[in-house]
């Protein structure tokens, strides 16, 4: 059984060609720039957004598949978020996206836990990427999945998530959480496209100098 990651086309100069269907280029875990390209010096200075599309492919029938940012980026001035492709034939490109309303999912660090009130406080405002009824997956410090819960609401300041039911697992402030892209099925040799939104603040340190990293995790049940 294997889950593999594959690139789409990337064209930083033409949004009508950036994305589209799967290519024959496989993404290699732990290899610099295999998933996203380096930040250009001018972009690192002025900041901005970049959009990359990649694909998750399976060689066997699976169901209840979740896709997470299990660890947010190491950079204090850059972050990445995931979102589902918008066309069933995988042909969507960056120019097709309604970026102001595009639903994103992302990760956060757990700052504190109040199990009695079914609440987790995050290290950042999560209101853009954690919504009521989202499944939020919890990871330990080695990015192993611990548990998950359905979000009930997010506080006005965006930092406290209240859950519908509380897990029977122990959660603490060494862990991270992520709102999950959730799919009910993915059949053998099928694939699904995921958009990655990269937000770059002005005067950032390029992600590869020193080498930055984030962790994407996929959890699933086999049919």
């Amino acid at each position: 059984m294997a889950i593999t990651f594959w690139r789409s086309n990337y064209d930083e100069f033409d949004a009508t060609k950036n994305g589209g269907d799967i290519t024959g280029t496989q993404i290699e875990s732990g290899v610099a720039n295999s998933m996203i390209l380096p930040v250009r010096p001018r972009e690192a200075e002025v900041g901005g957004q970049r959009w990359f599309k990649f694909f998750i492919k399976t060689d066997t029938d699976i169901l209840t598949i979740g896709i997470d940012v299990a660890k947010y980026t190491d950079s204090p001035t850059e972050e990445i978020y995931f979102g589902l492709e918008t066309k069933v034939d995988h042909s969507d490109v960056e120019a097709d996206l309604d970026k102001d309303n595009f639903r994103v999912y992302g990760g956060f660090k757990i700052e504190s836990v109040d199990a009695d009130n079914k609440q987790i406080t995050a290290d950042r405002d999560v209101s853009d990427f954690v919504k009521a009824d989202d499944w939020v997956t919890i990871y330990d410090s080695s990015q192993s999945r611990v548990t998950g819960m359905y979000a009930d609401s997010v506080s006005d300041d965006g930092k406290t998530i209240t859950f519908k039911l509380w897990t029977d697992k122990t959660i603490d402030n060494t862990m991270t959480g992520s709102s999950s892209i959730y799919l009910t099925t993915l059949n053998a040799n099928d694939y699904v496209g995921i958009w990655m939104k990269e937000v770059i603040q002005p005067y950032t340190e390029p992600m590869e100098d020193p080498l930055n990293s984030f962790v994407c995790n996929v959890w699933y049940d086999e049919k």
Side-chain angles (χ1 to χ4, degrees), residues 3-116:
I3 295 283
T4 50
F5 289 68
W6 300 80
R7 292 191 64 170
S8 67
N9 298 292
Y10 180 65
D11 191 323
E12 62 181 312
F13 305 110
D14 189 344
T16 67
K17 297 178 181 176
N18 185 37
D21 209 343
I22 195 168
T23 69
T25 302
Q26 188 168 348
I27 294 169
E28 299 178 75
S29 178
V31 176
N33 310 134
S34 181
M35 198 166 195
I36 59 177
L37 297 182
V39 178
R40 292 181 179 274
R42 177 61 177 166
E43 202 163 26
E45 186 175 42
V46 302
Q49 291 183 10
R50 301 195 300 174
W51 295 78
F52 299 87
K53 189 181 182 186
F54 65 95
F55 292 90
I56 294 172
K57 188 174 183 179
T58 174
D59 62 5
T60 192
D61 294 341
I62 58 177
L63 43 77
T64 58
I65 179 172
I67 302 158
D68 298 326
V69 180
K71 187 184 81 67
Y72 48 86
T73 70
D74 291 332
S75 171
T77 51
E78 297 174 35
E79 198 50 76
I80 57 102
Y81 305 91
F82 294 157
L84 271 174
E85 62 185 351
T86 61
K87 294 185 177 180
V88 295
D89 65 356
H90 312 297
S91 66
D92 53 328
V93 292
E94 181 184 350
D96 294 322
L97 304 180
D98 178 1
K99 295 179 182 178
D100 291 336
N101 297 296
F102 187 74
R103 176 65 211 272
V104 294
Y105 301 77
F108 59 89
K109 181 184 182 299
I110 295 175
E111 287 286 289
S112 63
V113 177
D114 182 352
D116 291 339

Side-chain angles (χ1 to χ4, degrees), residues 153-167:
S153 62
V154 177
S155 61
D156 290 341
D157 67 359
K159 290 191 173 182
T160 299
I161 308 167
T162 302
F163 294 90
K164 295 183 177 183
L165 293 173
W166 193 254
T167 179

Side-chain angles (χ1 to χ4, degrees), residues 135-175:
W135 183 259
V136 177
T137 304
I138 308 299
Y139 291 89
D140 66 18
S141 57
S142 64
Q143 287 80 61
S144 295
R145 184 182 185 278
V146 176
T147 189
M149 299 177 288
Y150 280 112
D152 183 68
S153 62
V154 177
S155 61
D156 290 341
D157 67 359
K159 290 191 173 182
T160 299
I161 308 167
T162 302
F163 294 90
K164 295 183 177 183
L165 293 173
W166 193 254
T167 179
D168 60 351
K169 305 296 183 182
T170 300
I171 302 174
D172 60 41
N173 63 2
T174 67
M175 298 178 178

